[in-house]
Amino acid sequence: MPDNTDFDPTRLVHLARIRDQRRAVVRSLNDRYADLREKRADVDRRLRLAREELTNTYGRFGFEAEQKVKDLQASFEALTAQMQEVQAEQDATASEASETGTLFRTCLAFAVQNGLAIPGTLAADAAAVDPNRMPINLGGAA
Amino acid sequence: MKSFFMALTASRSATAESLDALEDLRGAIAAKKLQITQIERSPLPVQDALKRFDLWAERLATEAVDALDVARLADPSARDGGLRVPGSSAPQTLFGLVLLVSREAVRNTLAGQLGDLLADREALTDAERARRVEEAETQLKQAEAMEEVAVRSLEEAGIAVSRRADADPAIILLTGAALAKLAG
């Protein structure tokens, strides 16, 4: 059975960093998805206008209007495909972020319960685990 | 340039092997956890099960006799002069009396039933179960330590690997030296 000298509480900093990285990736994917959705809404609006324009256009100009509708339709589909890809990535990353968050909290609770010196940068997280018992080493490695 | 691509290919191959090894370890960990559950749930041997029956039968028979209020038989003031069977526990009292007079017959029947029930299953005494669980848990800890060694090694190589959300914090927070010692 390991004793307290066998543990390295600065490993918590590493775990917190991984958690933060995963969260950042999730945020970035959320932003990317929102951006794509906005672009697609814009293309959709232009597509509806182009279709209206097509129904009112004849002759040589009809060909140009038709081409415009086709191009916008292709853009709409491409953006939809990109959104689906981002969404799949979002699902996987959100799940990973949740798992790393869970593991970090479990490890932090273990460290607090066993009186390990919690790195100062994690003092706030440790306080959330057990506010009545905070063996925080504010001068510790971080 | 060619040697660079060869090195790159070799590196990719090594990474793939490390990731495969990690997956294998995780499979072994899941199997070991299942084995521990199976050991914990394995039945007691027939003789141990019958010892439990003996204790239970003894208690039920004693309670049945106590519930009858035998002193009433000798009480000249008791109106009907009979025993009293409390209505709320009459079936239990009756069963206790059955066990009192024919425990061996019931025991033999149960022994036969238990023998059939456990014929194809591995039975373990409490002591043997505790020993087997301890042994399997030691192996589990070692496998989890090997997993963490593999994860740290991949991270050091710049490859992001996720840890299991249910990984043991007592392994994850070990120093490198303690981890290596546990991993063997």
Side-chain angles (χ1 to χ4, degrees):
Chain A
M1 184 65 191
D3 60 40
N4 277 10
T5 59
D6 288 325
F7 294 113
D8 175 10
T10 62
R11 297 289 310 160
L12 288 166
V13 177
H14 176 67
L15 296 175
R17 195 179 304 125
I18 295 173
R19 176 200 60 178
D20 294 344
Q21 281 168 355
R22 298 281 202 278
R23 281 180 180 172
V25 173
V26 170
R27 275 197 298 275
S28 152
L29 286 169
N30 288 347
D31 291 347
R32 172 118 179 87
Y33 189 82
D35 183 45
L36 287 168
R37 190 169 53 189
E38 208 173 301
K39 279 183 183 161
R40 194 178 70 164
D42 180 53
V43 169
D44 188 39
R45 189 175 45 77
R46 284 160 53 206
L47 182 60
R48 274 187 276 115
L49 287 172
R51 280 179 180 145
E52 277 174 29
E53 200 179 305
L54 181 63
T55 55
N56 302 322
T57 311
Y58 302 96
R60 184 169 63 84
F61 299 109
F63 173 76
E64 283 173 13
E66 201 175 313
Q67 191 57 43
K68 192 176 176 184
V69 167
K70 276 184 187 166
D71 291 346
L72 286 167
Q73 183 67 44
S75 293
F76 184 89
E77 282 163 15
L79 286 165
T80 301
Q82 283 180 52
M83 283 170 72
Q84 284 167 350
E85 278 173 25
V86 172
Q87 197 164 28
E89 210 176 332
Q90 262 179 325
D91 290 345
T93 314
S95 166
E96 272 185 26
S98 166
E99 285 186 7
T100 54
T102 301
L103 182 62
F104 170 73
R105 283 193 302 278
T106 312
C107 289
L108 185 62
F110 174 87
V112 170
Q113 281 158 14
N114 288 281
L116 303 183
I118 309 293
T121 51
L122 302 175
D125 294 271
V129 170
D130 187 356
N132 298 315
R133 187 177 173 213
M134 293 190 300
I136 311 296
N137 175 11
L138 292 173
Chain B
M1 197 62 160
K2 192 178 173 187
S3 62
F4 169 75
F5 281 116
M6 280 173 70
L8 189 65
T9 307
S11 163
R12 277 183 184 153
S13 170
T15 303
E17 276 177 24
S18 301
L19 288 169
D20 286 348
L22 182 61
E23 280 308 303
D24 289 347
L25 271 171
R26 287 181 169 164
I29 287 166
K32 192 52 73 180
K33 284 183 174 176
L34 181 65
Q35 186 194 359
I36 291 171
T37 305
Q38 284 168 340
I39 294 170
E40 284 170 342
R41 288 182 184 168
S42 59
L44 289 168
V46 173
Q47 287 311 312
D48 287 18
L50 288 174
K51 276 181 197 161
R52 295 171 114 192
F53 166 75
D54 287 339
L55 286 172
W56 176 76
E58 189 69 39
R59 182 173 58 77
L60 222 63
T62 305
E63 285 173 2
V65 172
D66 290 348
L68 293 175
D69 196 4
V70 180
R72 279 173 60 83
L73 292 174
D75 184 356
S77 66
R79 251 189 280 169
D80 58 4
L83 293 167
R84 177 179 289 166
V85 180
S88 60
S89 59
Q92 197 167 337
T93 302
L94 188 62
F95 195 54
L97 292 173
V98 169
L99 289 173
L100 188 69
V101 296
S102 56
R103 192 165 99 191
E104 271 313 299
V106 175
R107 193 179 196 275
N108 289 339
T109 304
L110 293 180
Q113 296 270 322
L114 282 167
D116 291 346
L117 193 67
L118 306 182
D120 299 327
R121 299 186 63 187
E122 186 185 21
L124 297 173
T125 63
D126 286 337
E128 176 68 5
R129 185 191 325 280
R131 192 190 66 75
R132 296 266 295 267
V133 166
E134 192 184 343
E135 188 181 285
E137 278 179 345
T138 302
Q139 290 165 351
L140 175 65
K141 294 270 178 237
Q142 186 182 18
E144 287 183 319
M146 288 165 76
E147 178 195 23
E148 179 61 13
V149 166
V151 169
R152 289 187 192 182
S153 151
L154 281 162
E155 282 178 342
E156 279 163 19
I159 298 152
V161 193
S162 292
R163 287 176 173 80
R164 288 178 295 113
D166 63 346
D168 185 352
I171 301 279
I172 302 295
L173 294 181
L174 283 175
T175 61
L179 188 67
K181 191 177 164 192
L182 186 59

